[in-house]
Amino acid sequence: MKRLEGKVALITGGARGQGAAEARLFAAEGARVVIADVLDADGERLANELQGSAIFQHLDVTRPEQWEAAVQVAEKHFGNIDVLVNNAGILKLAPLESCSLDDYLKVINVNQVGCWLGMKSVLPSMKKAGRGSIVNVSSTAGMEGIAGGTAYTSSKFAVRGMTKSAALELGHLGIRVNSIHPGGIDTAMARPPEYADFEPSAIYNSLPIARIGRPEEVADLALFLASDASSYCTGSEFIVDGGLLAGKTFH
């Protein structure tokens, strides 16, 4: 039996990168998938590729009314939502001294508020289903700081914290909540314009697994948490970082 057979999943930021890898894998494992993103053309293309297993829904995760519409579309087409992957995120890097309040709040609104709105918005649907798994995508920046990343790090620590609080509140409803903490993953977001002249290979070459991660490797972890294989896991962090956080080596 496929691992997500009969389940309905909503994946934010699902049009490309980690979200697209998750959408493909979830559909292959039997889920019916709502691909939610602001990238309409990419999202529609992916939904067409998945041939009836998925639909695309425009979703700006900072807008409560768009969340409400996305949940309604999911229920209308597929039924109650069983899985939410809060994958949408943005990265803006700037030193504290030069980071504007507007840029700080843009990151907080997408990465932090968007995640909170997602959990809140799917809750009625999951309660009707009598089950649910929420997978919040944080980052290794939710475990340690990044110089030049006060906004991003703040948002990802917040995702880690709200995951634990939600897990405590929702466990008795049969709803599990966990966070994923990717390190460097080969996606468009991992190549911000601020780092256009920066060569990251030295960082990855020094890891125990000496390479950048693949979106499919994050998707495999999300699948585990979305599926019943993780039925006793809630309120926890799951790290996929090639050993980045394991410690320091001296050569």
Side-chain angles (χ1 to χ4, degrees):
M1 182 177 176
K2 295 180 177 179
R3 285 175 282 182
L4 295 182
E5 196 72 52
K7 294 186 186 292
V8 177
L10 193 160
I11 301 173
T12 70
R16 69 179 185 184
Q18 291 175 186
E22 290 154 2
R24 290 187 177 99
L25 182 59
F26 283 23
E29 289 291 340
R32 291 162 294 175
V33 180
V34 179
I35 300 162
D37 210 310
V38 294
L39 301 174
D40 295 346
D42 290 342
E44 293 283 5
R45 208 162 23 243
L46 180 57
N48 290 335
E49 173 193 323
L50 297 179
Q51 296 182 340
S53 296
I55 57 172
F56 173 73
Q57 173 66 23
H58 181 90
L59 173 60
D60 175 344
V61 297
T62 69
R63 303 283 296 276
E65 72 279 6
Q66 291 192 20
W67 268 110
E68 183 179 349
V71 171
Q72 289 175 352
V73 165
E75 292 182 330
K76 177 182 176 183
H77 281 81
F78 296 141
N80 293 321
I81 296 170
D82 303 290
V83 178
L84 168 66
V85 182
N86 269 317
N87 173 78
I90 61 173
L91 174 62
K92 286 182 176 290
L93 298 174
L96 174 61
E97 187 174 16
S98 59
C99 183
S100 70
L101 178 58
D102 281 349
D103 280 346
Y104 181 87
L105 290 176
K106 283 176 187 174
V107 175
I108 295 298
N109 281 330
V110 173
N111 296 3
Q112 177 177 337
V113 177
C115 181
W116 182 84
L117 282 173
M119 293 194 294
K120 188 174 180 67
S121 299
V122 302
L123 183 53
S125 191
M126 288 187 172
K127 287 175 71 174
K128 285 185 285 186
R131 62 182 184 182
S133 175
I134 296 174
V135 181
N136 293 328
V137 181
S138 179
S139 167
T140 51
M143 309 291 287
E144 65 175 11
I146 297 176
T150 52
Y152 187 73
T153 300
S154 296
S155 71
K156 293 304 186 178
F157 265 82
V159 168
R160 177 185 172 198
M162 71 175 75
T163 294
K164 294 183 179 298
S165 292
L168 293 170
E169 291 184 27
L170 304 181
H172 74 283
L173 298 171
I175 299 170
R176 299 181 295 107
V177 192
N178 292 286
S179 58
I180 289 179
H181 297 257
I185 306 297
D186 192 11
T187 66
M189 199 179 82
R191 299 182 291 275
E194 301 95 324
Y195 278 17
D197 298 326
F198 176 69
E199 175 49 58
S201 59
I203 294 175
Y204 301 122
N205 289 343
S206 69
L207 297 179
I209 300 174
R211 60 172 174 80
I212 194 169
R214 299 187 298 270
E216 292 77 13
E217 291 171 312
V218 181
D220 284 333
L221 182 53
L223 172 64
F224 168 71
L225 293 173
S227 76
D228 295 338
S230 58
S231 57
Y232 200 51
C233 301
T234 198
S236 293
E237 301 100 349
F238 292 80
I239 298 169
V240 50
D241 71 346
L244 175 68
L245 296 180
K248 302 290 187 264
T249 59
F250 300 94
H251 297 293

